[in-house]
Amino acid sequence: METNKHKRKPYPSDVTDAEWAFVAPYLALMKEDAPQRDHSLREVFNGLRWMVRGGTTWRMIPHDLPPWYTVYQQAMRWIRAGVFDAIVDDLRKILRLAEGRKKEPSRAIIDSQTIQSTPESGGRAGYDGHKKKKGSKIHMAVDTLGHLLALQVTPANEQERAQVKKLCQEIQEVTGESVEIAFVDQGYTGDQAKEDAKEHGIELQVVKLPQAKRGFVLLPKRWVVERSFAWKSRLRRLVRDYERLPEVLAGLHFLAFAILMLRRFVEVIFQSA
């Protein structure tokens, strides 16, 4: 097994030996000793993790990591191949079993988050009148433990209810059609949203705010997805939309959850050892 011993000093974002033992088979799109490989695959992954966690640009990846263009090109290969999606899918099943849950969920929570655009993403951005922010909307579905199930990226002016059909389809594809109920907020009300969900065997249940709301109110079920948004915001690259392409932004969100879930996976393994 490749160890985490390098000539350079380690960064807090570096993958640990235990994490690498799990994730390496997913990342190896070609053999580690392939003649066209100029840099350690693990170091390329460390470069990507450093960039996403630190929130910097590709070109500012430190010189003691592989060149930025190498990290970028490999990251695009991983995203196009659905590597991070596969990692998240498998880790979700393992962590659910570790929590004494069934491998596939029967409940999901759906919500959206608007993130500010930048000059790179401004061409595809929209204006969210409710949040008074120009940017992109991250439409996300998680299970009741907060693990990512499905994700869509749209301009911020797109309505939440319009994404129900795509999200429900993706949810059922990754769970083997196990989800029966999805909890949503009042932005998903309407007959069309209900029909779109029902088409994929899911019942939408709207969790409403108390009528006499004062200050912050913790809503049953729906707080889980809000916590997931907070988790992924710890990776500063995802606080704003810095990507030219929506599929890259979506891929980096799956990477973020892979990083977060890997850490939890290692904790579970050591606790059970």
Side-chain angles (χ1 to χ4, degrees):
M1 180 181 68
E2 188 178 359
T3 61
N4 195 26
K5 295 179 180 178
H6 309 292
K7 295 180 181 179
R8 64 172 177 83
K9 292 182 179 180
Y11 292 106
S13 57
D14 283 353
V15 65
T16 67
D17 289 344
E19 291 171 341
W20 181 248
F22 179 88
V23 79
Y26 295 86
L27 301 177
L29 299 180
M30 60 181 179
K31 294 181 179 179
E32 178 64 27
D33 59 353
Q36 62 267 45
R37 191 185 298 286
D38 296 324
H39 302 277
S40 161
L41 189 64
R42 180 169 179 169
E43 281 293 82
V44 173
F45 188 50
N46 280 334
L48 178 59
R49 287 169 61 106
W50 188 95
M51 187 276 297
V52 173
R53 182 169 173 182
T56 187
T57 64
W58 294 97
R59 285 175 169 81
M60 290 182 68
I61 292 176
H63 294 302
D64 54 358
L65 288 166
W68 73 267
Y69 49 83
T70 298
V71 177
Y72 174 81
Q73 291 169 358
Q74 187 60 52
M76 295 306 105
R77 295 188 191 102
W78 284 329
I79 289 173
R80 286 194 295 268
V83 167
F84 304 131
D85 309 49
I87 294 173
V88 167
D89 187 43
D90 288 346
L91 282 173
R92 184 186 67 251
K93 295 172 184 176
I94 294 170
L95 292 174
R96 287 184 60 84
L97 291 173
E99 292 283 343
R101 308 294 185 95
K102 291 183 179 179
K103 183 171 65 172
E104 300 293 359
S106 61
R107 304 289 188 270
I109 307 100
I110 298 174
D111 201 1
S112 70
Q113 179 190 52
T114 299
I115 58 176
Q116 190 78 33
S117 63
T118 62
E120 287 76 21
S121 63
R124 56 179 175 78
Y127 184 74
D128 184 339
H130 178 66
K131 299 291 180 61
K132 294 181 172 55
K133 184 185 295 185
K134 181 180 179 182
S136 298
K137 260 184 189 172
I138 309 301
H139 306 267
M140 195 162 74
V142 301
D143 68 6
T144 52
L145 295 177
H147 304 141
L148 182 60
L149 293 171
L151 186 141
Q152 296 289 331
V153 176
T154 69
N157 58 314
E158 291 284 341
Q159 294 294 319
E160 282 85 351
R161 60 180 66 92
Q163 307 308 313
V164 168
K165 188 171 186 177
K166 289 182 179 179
L167 282 173
C168 288
Q169 178 181 352
E170 189 175 339
I171 289 169
Q172 298 295 47
E173 285 176 354
V174 299
T175 63
E177 300 188 353
S178 69
V179 173
E180 300 170 355
I181 295 174
F183 300 102
V184 296
D185 67 13
Q186 294 176 91
Y188 295 86
T189 55
D191 293 337
Q192 187 60 54
K194 286 184 178 180
E195 288 299 317
D196 288 342
K198 187 177 180 180
E199 182 180 332
H200 295 285
I202 296 177
E203 176 190 349
L204 284 190
Q205 289 193 6
V206 179
V207 181
K208 297 182 179 180
L209 283 169
Q211 290 183 351
K213 177 187 174 183
R214 289 187 179 181
F216 176 74
V217 177
L218 192 64
L219 294 177
K221 304 295 184 181
R222 285 204 55 256
W223 67 269
V224 175
V225 69
E226 299 293 349
R227 183 184 62 179
S228 297
F229 281 125
W231 281 346
K232 66 94 176 176
S233 294
R234 291 174 177 170
L235 286 84
R236 299 181 67 181
R237 180 78 179 193
L238 303 182
V239 173
R240 289 195 175 191
D241 185 357
Y242 292 103
E243 313 308 323
R244 294 190 183 277
L245 301 175
E247 53 265 33
V248 175
L249 181 61
L252 293 182
H253 274 76
F254 275 94
L255 168 64
F257 276 91
I259 291 172
L260 295 167
M261 294 165 73
L262 267 174
R263 183 183 304 167
R264 177 58 183 157
F265 166 75
V266 171
E267 291 173 355
V268 169
I269 292 299
F270 279 107
Q271 286 173 2
S272 61

